[in-house]
Amino acid sequence: MAQITITQIKSIIDKPKSQKLTIQALGLGKINKSVTVENTPQIAGMVNKVQHLVEVKNI
């Protein structure tokens, strides 16, 4: 599978608890923090759920 870099670009303050937990599960939590992960269906689903809070780049 391909690698993707996920960067948090917006705050999770005043967001639903499920979105906060999804950001935490992705390994994020602070603005401008980035993680590189495999692009699996599970990761793609989590990114889709918080797409308004993150930026995704293919590697």
Side-chain angles (χ1 to χ4, degrees), residues 23-36:
I23 289 288
Q24 185 180 8
L26 286 169
L28 302 171
K30 294 186 177 187
I31 296 175
N32 292 327
K33 184 170 182 183
S34 297
V35 293
T36 301

Side-chain angles (χ1 to χ4, degrees), residues 28-49:
L28 302 171
K30 294 186 177 187
I31 296 175
N32 292 327
K33 184 170 182 183
S34 297
V35 293
T36 301
V37 293
E38 289 286 326
N39 190 11
T40 63
Q42 294 83 6
I43 296 293
M46 290 194 290
V47 168
N48 189 41
K49 186 173 184 177

Side-chain angles (χ1 to χ4, degrees), residues 5-9 28 32-35 53-57:
T5 299
I6 306 167
T7 304
Q8 184 176 346
I9 57 171
L28 302 171
N32 292 327
K33 184 170 182 183
S34 297
V35 293
L53 302 175
V54 297
E55 180 179 81
V56 180
K57 293 181 183 174

